[in-house]
Amino acid sequence: MSEPVAVDAMGGDHGPGETVAGAVVARRELGIPVVLVGHSGAVRAELTRHGAVGEIGVVHAEDVVPMTERGAGAVFSTTTSLTVGCDLVRRKEASAFVSAGSTGAVVSCAIHGIGRAPGVLRPALAIALPSVTGGATVLIDVGATSDPIPEMIAQFALLGASYAQLVLEVADPSVGLLSIGSEPGKGNRLTRRAGELLAGLPLRFCGNVEGHDVLAGTVDVIVTDGFTGNVVLKNVEGSVRAALTLVARSGAAGAEELRAVARRYAPEAHGGAALLGLIGTVVVAHGSSRAATIARACAVAHDLAEGGVVTRFADRLTPEAAR
């Protein structure tokens, strides 16, 4: 594709230093065309450090959305790196947008500046987590919508199943609903109603799954609300680190074996979560992302855009199936 991946140079806890460094890695080592969006003076200063002035384009954005911004307030200014980056995607001057900024702000700007796919109530963030079976499980939503209605969760399941088919190449993905018990009817009102809706959709719905199923490979897709999904994702990251630390202290495994496991679950392995349900491609990276994670997020965004995944989602998520 001729259009570059637009990178929010100012977003995250470590922008623009780490975000620019990640973009340079994506361009030089991965061969991905990128353009940096942010305050031109600050961005070019970082590019100078890497000897990359003139190698990577810069689109000026006067303002920055603070990491404390929760969402809707971010759309009121048209001069932030988030709004300018989303506008590049809308105008097809960028193939995708990557940001490590505030998740709520990125989601709001993407909805407002790029737009939802027909029939979609709310977009959702999906991430593929490695399972102990050697495959991966798509966890959706991991933070885009904290308080969805049951109908939204039903759509998240459709989006997650499509992601598993189109990106992970799972022919007929199984779907589980995250709850407090595997028995039918377990859960709060939200999950119980969502379960009823899921049972009526054209999915291989396997009923409820529990927290211990997330990395077990029990199903191909686990669907939940954004609040719970974000807690689960960060718990997985923390639990893996804690378990590896304990194993290392016990001497039960060698350093290289432990590093190999750690790499599978590190943020730089998956880069970020794909924001599904839009008419453009957006990848949201962890707020604490360093250069390696940003580079990987660029690769994820590039692959999604190059594969036309967003267009193929629209073909699958018909208004009839979404209801």
Side-chain angles (χ1 to χ4, degrees):
M1 299 182 70
S2 58
E3 297 84 3
V5 172
V7 180
D8 174 14
M10 314 306 290
D13 299 331
H14 307 293
E18 294 292 329
T19 49
V20 171
V24 171
V25 171
R27 178 68 187 91
R28 290 178 173 173
E29 299 183 15
L30 305 179
I32 297 170
V34 294
V35 61
L36 288 160
V37 183
H39 196 282
S40 57
V43 175
R44 287 198 172 93
E46 292 298 326
L47 286 173
T48 299
R49 292 180 57 238
H50 297 279
V53 174
E55 183 179 347
I56 295 175
V58 179
V59 175
H60 180 69
E62 185 67 25
D63 300 310
V64 179
V65 175
M67 291 296 287
T68 53
E69 172 58 54
R70 296 178 58 188
V75 305
F76 294 125
S77 173
T78 61
T79 59
T80 68
S81 56
L82 287 185
T83 53
V84 172
C86 288
D87 193 53
L88 290 174
V89 175
R90 182 186 63 81
R91 292 189 280 115
K92 302 189 184 304
E93 294 178 17
S95 62
F97 181 53
V98 169
S99 178
S102 162
T103 298
V106 177
V107 172
S108 293
C109 288
I111 292 173
H112 185 265
I114 299 174
R116 291 172 289 184
V120 172
L121 297 172
R122 283 280 298 183
L125 283 165
I127 195 164
L129 295 174
S131 67
V132 296
T133 61
T137 297
V138 176
L139 181 63
I140 186 171
D141 175 31
V142 293
T145 306
S146 297
D147 294 299
I149 59 176
E151 289 77 10
M152 291 177 184
I153 290 185
Q155 285 193 343
F156 298 166
L158 289 168
L159 290 168
S162 294
Y163 188 88
Q165 288 178 314
L166 298 174
V167 178
L168 304 183
E169 299 182 340
V170 179
D172 185 22
S174 54
V175 178
L177 175 65
L178 190 62
S179 189
I180 58 172
S182 60
E183 302 84 358
K186 280 291 186 73
N188 56 19
R189 283 181 292 180
L190 175 65
T191 55
R192 291 198 301 271
R193 177 56 183 154
E196 293 172 357
L197 294 174
L198 287 169
L201 291 179
L203 295 169
R204 185 153 68 94
F205 179 51
C206 299
N208 290 349
V209 296
E210 300 180 62
H212 55 69
D213 293 307
V214 172
L215 301 182
T218 306
V219 291
D220 300 305
V221 179
I222 293 179
V223 63
T224 186
D225 63 272
F227 179 88
T228 303
N230 192 267
V231 171
V232 168
L233 175 61
K234 291 174 181 176
N235 181 63
V236 165
E237 294 171 347
S239 296
V240 169
R241 286 195 297 269
L244 291 175
T245 299
L246 292 173
V247 173
R249 289 175 180 172
S250 73
E256 185 53 44
E257 289 86 352
L258 293 173
R259 280 194 290 267
V261 174
R263 283 194 295 267
R264 291 191 71 203
Y265 293 95
E268 55 265 28
H270 50 72
L275 186 57
L276 308 180
L278 301 170
I279 58 174
T281 302
V282 174
V283 171
V284 182
H286 204 295
S288 61
S289 293
R290 297 288 184 174
T293 306
I294 296 296
R296 179 59 188 152
C298 291
V300 171
H302 174 73
D303 290 346
L304 290 172
E306 191 172 57
V309 171
V310 167
T311 301
R312 294 158 74 188
F313 272 141
D315 294 338
R316 289 164 181 259
L317 193 66
T318 63
E320 291 77 16
R323 281 199 291 266

